[in-house]
């Protein structure tokens, strides 16, 4: 006979505690420990004999995973080329960001291509999902809707030879197993429900989409093991004040990571943005100080964005440093390099940095563009409006080379830019851009601002 016992599980990180406490010892979160019942099997009982597994040589004949397009190019790009049968995809994002809208549009497009799809919602009724689809101008008889939260009922319905090829579970935090004495959304329920659904998808060759809630820190709620169980993890990012949405892949067993898909939120749902660089750049007709165009990379996609800086006098002992879309620690390092290696004083000034369009930049190649925007704002002198800037800055003030420089330059040339400030690099054939190499940050300042900059440098030292 199995006897029951209880344990306290952190709903933020999944750590197990023998007794309740106000704070989790693992992640330091407060009031996240919830009591959950567990069943233990007495020692001495066995579950039966194991079965032999088949081993295959590494150099054997193994077919590549077949890709099936969804009909949404940006989603296919993020997934690595399309859907893979038997794969599990976890998509997370803030409430109202557009997760359900994107998946509903995806299954409708896939159904138009002849794929059988099922949309199971644990948060909305069938009437609500149907109403939303009609509002978006969608509709297809190959898409079956259901409102259910019991994993046992869902599996008994879908686990059959003629199972749908695509299944949407919205959301995994609402699913529950009746043999686990815990509320839906707890660590035990999320882990067990996901395991059963993924096992069913692997068995029947179903492409499974799991919608996951996120915490206030932007991480997918529930145990971290959930992200290890699935094949692909997608994050839907975006600011409510901007119409753009970024679908970013942070894990993909069938493709590259850090790929992004760009969408625009409209009244008719999410619209693909095939050329996001032109949208992330503001009008260049009237150049203003403090704005620099950065040629970046998101996965395999080149992306040009505008970095905006504002430098204002400060009368406080600790001037403010505000950053949106970039790493504040990276900004502190750039300011320290400019002050120490170039003699340009920022310690008595407030600094505000913003990446236009609501996108977030993670690569160090933006260092040189940030430094140029800061110097432009400090000197109140606009940068050349037909130039792009990229490069990594070291602590000694040198400018280091970054990856895929030729791809960045080709994207800038395609959008009409005439010159580029970049680290010292071999010449590239076939480019009409004027390449201006910067060995150090000081040489970049002299190249961009000349004698007028040097006069203001002396005044600020």
């Amino acid at each position: 006979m199995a006897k029951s016992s209880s344990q306290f599980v952190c709903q933020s990180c999944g750590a197990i505690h023998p007794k309740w406490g106000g704070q989790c010892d693992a992640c330091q979160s407060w009031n996240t420990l919830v009591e959950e019942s567990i069943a233990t099997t007495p020692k001495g009982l066995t579950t039966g004999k194991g079965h032999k597994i088949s081993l295959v040589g590494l150099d054997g004949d193994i077919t590549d995973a077949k890709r099936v397009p969804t009909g949404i190019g940006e989603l296919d790009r993020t997934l690595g080329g399309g859907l893979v049968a038997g794969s599990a995809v976890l998509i997370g994002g803030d409430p109202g960001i557009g997760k359900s809208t994107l998946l509903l549009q995806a299954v409708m497009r896939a159904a138009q291509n002849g794929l059988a799809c099922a949309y199971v919602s644990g948060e909305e009724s069938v009437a609500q999902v149907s109403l939303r689809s009609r509002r978006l101008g969608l509709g297809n008889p190959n898409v079956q809707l259901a409102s259910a939260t019991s994993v046992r009922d869902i599996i008994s319905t879908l686990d059959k030879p003629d199972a749908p090829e695509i299944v949407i579970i919205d959301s995994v935090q609402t699913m529950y197993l009746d043999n686990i004495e815990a509320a839906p959304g707890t660590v035990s329920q999320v882990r067990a429900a996901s395991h059963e659904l993924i096992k069913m998808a692997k068995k029947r060759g179903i492409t499974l989409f799991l919608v996951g809630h996120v915490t206030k820190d932007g991480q997918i709620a529930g145990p971290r093991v959930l992200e290890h169980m699935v094949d692909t993890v997608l994050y839907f990012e975006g600011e409510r004040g901007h119409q753009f949405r970024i679908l970013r892949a942070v894990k993909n067993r069938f493709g590259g990571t850090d790929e992004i898909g760009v969408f625009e939120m409209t009244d008719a749902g999410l619209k693909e943005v095939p050329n996001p660089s032109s949208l992330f750049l503001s009008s260049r007709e009237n150049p203003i100080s403090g704005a620099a165009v950065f040629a970046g990379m998101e996965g395999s996609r080149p992306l040009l964005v505008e970095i905006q800086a504002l430098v204002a006098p400060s009368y406080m002992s600790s001037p403010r440093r505000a950053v949106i879309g970039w790493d504040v620690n990276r900004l502190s390092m750039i300011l320290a390099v400019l002050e120490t290696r170039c003699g340009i004083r920022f310690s008595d000034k407030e600094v505000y940095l913003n990446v236009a369009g609501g996108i977030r930049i993670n690569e160090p190649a933006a260092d040189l563009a940030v430094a140029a925007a800061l110097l432009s704002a400090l000197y109140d002198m606009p940068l050349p409006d037909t130039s792009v800037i990229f490069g990594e800055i070291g602590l000694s003030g040198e400018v280091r080379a970054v990856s895929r420089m030729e791809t960045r330059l080709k994207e800038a040339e395609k959008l009409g830019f005439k010159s580029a400030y970049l680290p010292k690099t071999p010449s590239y054939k076939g480019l009409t851009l004027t390449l201006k190499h910067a060995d150090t940050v000081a040489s970049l300042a002299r190249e961009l601002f000349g004698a007028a900059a040097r006069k203001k440098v002396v005044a600020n030292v």
Side-chain angles (χ1 to χ4, degrees):
M1 292 288 294
K3 61 180 182 179
S4 61
S5 61
S6 63
Q7 60 187 6
F8 294 87
V9 182
C10 176
Q11 303 304 301
S12 190
C13 67
I16 299 176
H17 299 73
K19 60 181 181 179
W20 185 88
Q23 185 181 30
C24 174
D25 297 333
C27 65
Q28 309 303 317
S29 299
W30 289 92
N31 300 321
T32 58
L33 300 187
V34 175
E35 184 177 8
E36 297 182 6
S37 299
I38 58 175
T40 58
T41 303
K43 295 182 180 180
L45 297 181
T46 59
T47 57
K49 297 181 179 180
H51 299 279
K52 294 182 179 180
I53 60 175
S54 59
L55 301 177
V56 180
L58 186 60
D59 56 348
D61 294 334
I62 300 177
T63 57
D64 194 9
K66 182 182 178 181
R67 299 284 184 173
V68 178
T70 62
I72 300 180
E74 293 296 302
L75 177 59
D76 293 339
R77 179 190 185 95
T78 310
L79 291 172
L83 302 176
V84 178
S87 63
V89 181
L90 176 65
I91 177 171
D94 295 330
I97 202 70
K99 304 183 297 296
S100 301
T101 301
L102 174 64
L103 293 178
L104 188 59
Q105 290 181 246
V107 295
M108 294 298 177
R109 294 279 184 89
Q112 292 175 0
N113 296 331
L115 300 178
C117 307
Y119 191 104
V120 181
S121 176
E123 301 175 347
E124 299 175 286
S125 64
V126 173
Q128 288 176 310
V129 178
S130 179
L131 181 63
R132 177 151 49 92
S133 66
R134 288 198 297 269
R135 178 174 57 85
L136 298 175
L138 305 173
N140 196 293
N142 288 334
V143 178
Q144 303 296 319
L145 303 179
S147 178
T149 57
S150 173
V151 175
R152 187 186 300 273
D153 296 342
I154 295 173
I155 292 179
S156 62
T157 303
L158 300 178
D159 192 5
K160 54 186 180 180
D162 58 342
E165 296 168 272
I166 301 176
V167 174
I168 310 294
I169 303 296
D170 186 10
S171 65
V172 68
Q173 275 81 14
T174 62
M175 300 294 131
Y176 75 94
L177 285 169
D178 51 12
N179 60 343
I180 296 180
E181 296 181 5
T186 58
V187 171
S188 300
Q189 287 284 8
V190 170
R191 181 172 53 235
S194 301
H195 173 72
E196 295 297 329
L197 291 170
I198 293 173
K199 184 172 67 173
M200 183 264 299
K202 300 288 185 184
K203 175 184 176 182
R204 294 297 180 184
I206 299 172
T207 301
L208 177 68
F209 283 91
L210 299 175
V211 178
H213 297 167
V214 296
T215 62
K216 61 181 180 180
D217 297 328
Q219 302 295 324
I220 294 180
R224 199 71 179 182
V225 69
L226 178 59
E227 299 187 23
H228 295 283
M229 293 167 61
V230 298
D231 300 305
T232 305
V233 179
L234 307 178
Y235 276 90
F236 218 21
E237 306 171 356
E239 299 289 339
R240 288 190 176 272
H242 297 87
Q243 70 271 30
F244 303 117
R245 302 289 186 266
I246 309 296
L247 184 64
R248 187 185 304 273
V250 298
K251 173 190 175 181
N252 195 349
R253 290 174 179 162
F254 303 104
T257 57
D258 290 330
E259 287 287 351
I260 67 167
V262 184
F263 300 88
E264 182 181 4
M265 180 63 76
T266 65
D267 295 338
L270 290 166
K271 180 181 177 182
E272 296 181 70
V273 181
N275 187 13
S277 296
S278 60
L279 296 177
F280 287 124
L281 298 177
S282 62
S283 175
R284 313 298 298 172
E285 296 178 359
N286 298 317
I288 59 174
S289 61
V293 178
F294 165 59
M297 294 292 300
E298 290 289 345
S300 61
R301 162 179 279 176
L303 194 66
L304 269 62
V305 296
E306 185 179 52
I307 296 179
Q308 303 169 344
L310 177 64
V311 178
S314 177
Y315 303 97
M316 298 184 294
S317 58
S318 299
R320 187 177 180 184
R321 307 284 189 256
V323 183
I324 298 177
W326 207 48
D327 186 9
V328 65
N329 296 321
R330 198 83 186 175
L331 174 64
S332 301
M333 187 199 76
I334 299 300
L335 293 175
V337 170
L338 290 173
E339 190 154 349
T340 304
R341 303 298 182 184
C342 304
I344 304 174
R345 188 172 180 180
F346 284 93
S347 58
D348 59 345
K349 295 176 175 59
E350 294 184 350
V351 175
Y352 302 87
L353 191 73
N354 175 53
V355 179
I359 192 171
R360 180 169 182 82
I361 299 175
N362 299 316
E363 59 173 336
D367 292 350
L368 200 61
V370 170
L374 292 172
L375 295 174
S376 174
L378 177 66
Y379 302 146
D380 195 20
M381 295 178 60
L383 294 167
D385 58 344
T386 58
S387 298
V388 296
I389 306 172
F390 60 89
E392 181 181 357
I393 297 177
L395 292 179
S396 61
E398 83 278 9
V399 180
R400 298 181 176 182
V402 296
S403 63
R404 300 187 180 181
M405 289 193 286
E406 185 176 6
T407 305
R408 303 171 194 259
L409 295 173
K410 288 181 178 180
E411 178 71 9
E413 186 181 55
K414 185 176 68 175
L415 293 177
F417 288 87
K418 305 299 183 183
S419 60
Y421 295 87
L422 70 163
K424 191 173 183 180
T425 178
S427 60
Y428 297 109
K429 297 180 180 180
L431 292 175
T432 60
L433 285 174
T434 302
L435 304 183
K436 300 180 180 180
H437 302 294
D439 297 331
T440 62
V441 183
S443 64
L444 176 71
R446 291 191 297 268
E447 175 71 24
L448 289 173
F449 306 105
R454 287 195 290 270
K455 292 180 181 178
K456 293 195 175 186
V457 169
V458 174
N460 283 283
V461 172

